[in-house]
Amino acid sequence: MDRLPETTGLRDEIIIQRPHLTAYTHALRLAGAKLVEVGYLGFPGQGMTWPWQIEAAITARTAAIAYSFGNAPGVVPLAAVVAIAHRHGVPVIVDAAAALPPVENLRALIAAGADLVAFSGGKAIGGPQASGILVGRAALIASVALQHQDMDVYPETWTWRGRYLESGVLPGPPHHGIGRPMKVGKEEIVGLVVALRRFLARDHAAEREAQRRQLETIIVALADVRGVEAAHMNERTFPRPYPTACVRIDEMIIGRSVEAIINALIDGEPAIAVSQNFLHERAIGLVASVLRPGEEVTVAERLRTVLSECGHST
Ligand SMILES: *Cc1c(COP(=O)(O)O)cnc(C)c1O
């Protein structure tokens, strides 16, 4: 703990299936781990990860196997990864930041055997942006807690001396470990607990339906704008746990690029942030998860204005 992120000679390899590499896997390397990538890209076909590839990558230096929750094509599913990992005494760490909703995932991934699961506190739960929930095996959670201690104490005065020093688990109290730059304030903890209680108490099905209706209002409002085609994303072909609308834009007719439209929306009054997950299809995405009742009318009006600014509206 005192040496991190220097890991020479330690178990410092984390195995990860290539389709699970995201910009967020940077966080796995933060403590000094090296990623060992396995699997082929290019699903469907033979572009997939095979269970034996994961097993063959496990060595005496393997610290964990990482798993990113999501619909990455061609990956070995969580339960199978867990079976391989546990055969070799290696923990499985799941990035479940975006796994909510559905609310059932708060327990399902642990039930599937994952050893550590991290949820974002600031996404679907709606808690503080700088918070998250880490669940899993008690010993691993305790290890994470110890890396976060920010203490000016002595062995004789550490309140956990019985648990960690007298038991011989640690030679001395940890001080300002690798978790120190990520320390969690009591404001975040309280905010997250309150947000989690509210999240669990919500009627998720009714909320989903209400969001769908809000998006419907926007879709209807754009129906007569030339060069614009707005529609709900088909939940069968575009599996998302929350309603999403896609607004396809004919840039020739509208007379400005999708990027310019996104910038005009965020720079406008009120600022409107749209999903950029459809940029490659020359479209903008709409998600209603943070819209208050009635705000969809404002969004629809603003969209009509921005999309008609070049005078092509009917
Ligand atoms: C959003 C996200 C994160 C980061 O979550 P934060 O709460 O913003 O730290 C990590 N991994 C994945 C897959 C995500 O979608």
Side-chain angles (χ1 to χ4, degrees):
M1 287 168 62
D2 212 31
R3 284 168 49 176
L4 296 180
E6 167 57 44
T7 60
T8 308
L10 301 177
R11 279 161 65 137
D12 63 352
E13 293 181 356
I14 297 179
I15 298 168
I16 187 164
Q17 305 183 60
R18 286 201 169 87
H20 279 171
L21 286 171
T22 69
Y24 293 109
T25 44
H26 196 157
L28 291 170
R29 293 188 280 117
L30 209 55
K34 294 172 185 67
L35 295 183
V36 175
E37 301 173 19
V38 297
Y40 304 120
L41 294 173
F43 183 84
Q46 294 302 302
M48 52 197 293
T49 309
W50 301 94
W52 60 261
Q53 291 178 308
I54 297 175
E55 192 140 26
I58 297 176
T59 70
R61 299 189 61 85
T62 305
I65 301 178
Y67 192 96
S68 299
F69 180 87
N71 49 2
V75 298
V76 179
L78 180 60
V81 172
V82 165
I84 296 167
H86 289 180
R87 257 205 307 280
H88 295 270
V90 171
V92 176
I93 304 173
V94 180
D95 176 352
L100 307 172
V103 63
E104 289 76 21
N105 278 343
L106 278 170
R107 294 182 188 279
L109 305 173
I110 288 293
D115 298 275
L116 274 180
V117 181
F119 296 98
S120 171
K123 287 183 175 167
I125 295 172
Q129 291 296 331
S131 71
I133 300 175
L134 188 65
V135 292
R137 268 168 47 201
L140 296 175
I141 298 287
S143 167
V144 172
L146 288 170
Q147 314 275 355
H148 284 74
Q149 299 306 301
D150 171 17
M151 309 181 308
D152 296 305
V153 296
Y154 290 83
E156 300 79 9
T157 55
W158 187 27
T159 46
W160 280 358
R161 64 189 175 280
R163 199 188 310 176
Y164 289 108
L165 304 186
E166 285 153 23
S167 63
V169 174
L170 294 179
H175 295 281
H176 306 82
I178 197 78
R180 160 83 165 141
M182 292 153 264
K183 69 177 181 180
V184 182
K186 35 195 169 310
E187 299 85 355
E188 279 80 32
I189 296 174
V190 170
L192 179 58
V193 169
V194 171
L196 179 63
R197 286 198 182 129
R198 286 185 183 167
F199 179 70
L200 293 175
R202 269 163 23 200
D203 180 341
H204 295 273
E207 208 161 76
R208 215 180 133 82
E209 189 43 42
Q211 289 176 14
R212 207 183 147 79
R213 277 199 304 274
Q214 287 181 300
L215 294 178
E216 179 69 22
T217 298
I218 300 171
I219 290 168
V220 168
L222 295 177
D224 65 345
V225 182
R226 215 167 76 82
V228 172
E229 211 180 287
H232 293 285
M233 293 306 292
N234 182 324
E235 282 155 34
R236 205 163 48 81
T237 55
F238 182 75
R240 275 273 165 120
Y242 43 82
T244 305
C246 181
V247 183
R248 280 172 217 289
I249 290 159
D250 186 324
E251 293 164 298
M252 297 297 276
I253 295 177
I254 297 293
R256 62 205 305 204
S257 67
V258 175
E259 289 84 351
I261 290 163
I262 290 174
N263 291 341
L265 288 168
I266 196 79
D267 291 339
E269 183 59 45
I272 294 170
V274 296
S275 165
Q276 301 184 16
N277 287 348
F278 299 89
L279 207 65
H280 62 291
E281 297 176 27
R282 309 321 292 161
I284 60 179
L286 301 175
V287 174
S289 56
V290 295
L291 281 188
R292 292 196 196 90
E295 285 183 341
E296 67 278 12
V297 176
T298 311
V299 173
E301 277 168 10
R302 184 73 193 132
L303 270 168
R304 273 186 71 88
T305 306
V306 169
L307 292 169
S308 310
E309 257 167 19
C310 296
H312 293 292
S313 153
T314 51

